[in-house]
């Protein structure tokens, strides 16, 4: 099960890297806030962020109560 978790996080990181390159976010003077603002302009990234937070909450917060 650990391999599934590590693979999921690696996949999420890869998707964010591809999205950042696609949106040309490698500006040397950009702040972290500007990068996140530009990333979250894309609806696909917004959906990915919601899914990631849901997955983390389900596995680490709700798991102990069930």
């Amino acid at each position: 099960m650990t391999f599934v978790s590590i693979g999921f996080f690696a996949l999420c990181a890869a998707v964010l890297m591809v999205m950042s390159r696609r949106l040309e976010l490698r500006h040397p003077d950009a702040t972290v806030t500007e990068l996140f603002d530009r990333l979250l302009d894309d609806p696909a990234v917004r959906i990915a962020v919601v899914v990631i937070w849901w997955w983390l909450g389900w596995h680490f917060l709700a798991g102990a109560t069930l």
Side-chain angles (χ1 to χ4, degrees):
M1 194 65 173
T2 303
F3 294 114
V4 174
S5 298
I6 292 170
F8 181 76
F9 282 116
L11 177 66
C12 292
V15 168
L16 287 175
M17 286 177 14
V18 169
M19 294 300 294
S20 68
R21 288 185 184 198
R22 192 184 96 189
L23 295 173
E24 298 175 2
L25 297 178
R26 297 186 151 238
H27 192 275
D29 297 330
T31 65
V32 173
T33 304
E34 291 171 348
L35 292 177
F36 279 111
D37 285 343
R38 291 172 73 183
L39 262 177
L40 291 174
D41 283 342
D42 188 356
V45 175
R46 287 184 189 177
I47 292 170
V49 169
V50 168
V51 169
I52 291 167
W53 278 112
W54 173 81
W55 187 86
L56 284 172
W58 182 260
H59 285 86
F60 294 109
L61 300 176
T65 60
L66 295 177

